[in-house]
Amino acid sequence: MPASLQSLWPNVRPQGVLAAAAVFLAAALGAAPAHAGPTLEAIEKRGLIKAGVGSQPGFFAPDSSGRWQGFWIDIGRAIAITTLGDPEKIQFVSSSPQQRLPALKSGEFDILLSGVTQTITRATQHGFHFGPVAFYDGQGLLVPKKLGVAAPKDLDGATVCIQTGTTGEQNIADFFRKSGATFKPVTIEDTSEFLKAFEAGRCDVLTQDGSDLGIKRTQLRQPDDYVILPERISKEPLAPAVRYGDDRWLELVNWSVYALIQAEELGITSQNVDTFLDSSDPEIRRFLGVDLSLGLSTGLDPKFAYKIVKTLGNYGEVFDRNVGPTTRIGFQRGLNRLWTAGGLLYAPPFR
Ligand SMILES: N[C@@H](CCC(=O)N[C@@H](CS)C(=O)NCC(=O)O)C(=O)O
């Protein structure tokens, strides 16, 4: 594509005659999508997104061949498709909950995909924008069965292991204050020490996001000796986090997540997506870029949603493959069902 048009359509990688035609048409019509800000410019220059992640298998971990796998990794690959046209153009770096928010702030990362809870202080005091909630979670309590704890109220006087730098630190203090009980916090920064401390009996209770606990329980030597109490003591809406200052980048993140959700709502999967290409439904034609109008108005590759679904599947496929009922982790969808199925996932219109 000529350099002048490439700068007008920074996210378009024309593939095929139609996409190229869309680019020329847009130029002719004077469509000028919002410009890239500093983060997006840097990403485009280096041809790579830098993402901070955690280290929980199912959410984010390298497999035996060193390739990153997981729910948040797939979200990252979707964002790489939208931004750079290639799911591989994203580098994942593990960073502890304590270090990762400052690292995002300082520019070491372009985005965090580490199960970050959206909170008002992170948004307004620390200067982070959040993309769509991709996983609705809540803080849980993991306890040895032998303690005979039936409910959180039985925990008066307990020693509680908490991961430093997480929302869990404040939640657990609030929780005990509210119930009038006392507790002794043991804060641990090194993620790999967290389970060891618990197994060694340094604390009676391990508290973290329920999803994180679900994974951690499978990593204990005797998982059946432990139980996650059914109560959740907080709301933990987990979302991609970016720095202030680049609206266009935030929108690419937003619509990548929405594309996964919208595909599920439309019943489009990695397996059947090609059968939808001759659909007469205008919504599907726009979504998959058969109708080029969205490419024209947004400056995105008209096929970005098609490529996401073809490569990664829809939200349900991403969830099921990484953490769903048939995996070792075995999560149910719960709140993470589509709004049409009684859950909270809802994508705004692709129009
Ligand atoms: N959602 C909480 C906790 C975040 C958190 O601790 N996430 C887990 C992953 S789900 C984690 O990073 N664990 C340590 C690791 O994976 O290295 C927050 O935003 O403060």
Side-chain angles (χ1 to χ4, degrees), residues 53-56 59-60 72 94-97 100 114-118 122 163 165-168 191 208-209 211-212 216 236 238:
V53 295
S55 54
Q56 294 298 314
F59 277 142
F60 18 57
W72 288 105
S94 182
S95 175
S96 78
R100 58 178 71 129
S114 52
V116 188
T117 303
Q118 178 171 17
R122 286 172 173 175
Q163 176 107 37
T166 63
T167 45
T191 310
Q208 250 290 19
D209 293 349
S211 60
D212 189 72
K216 282 201 162 67
E236 305 293 325
L238 308 181

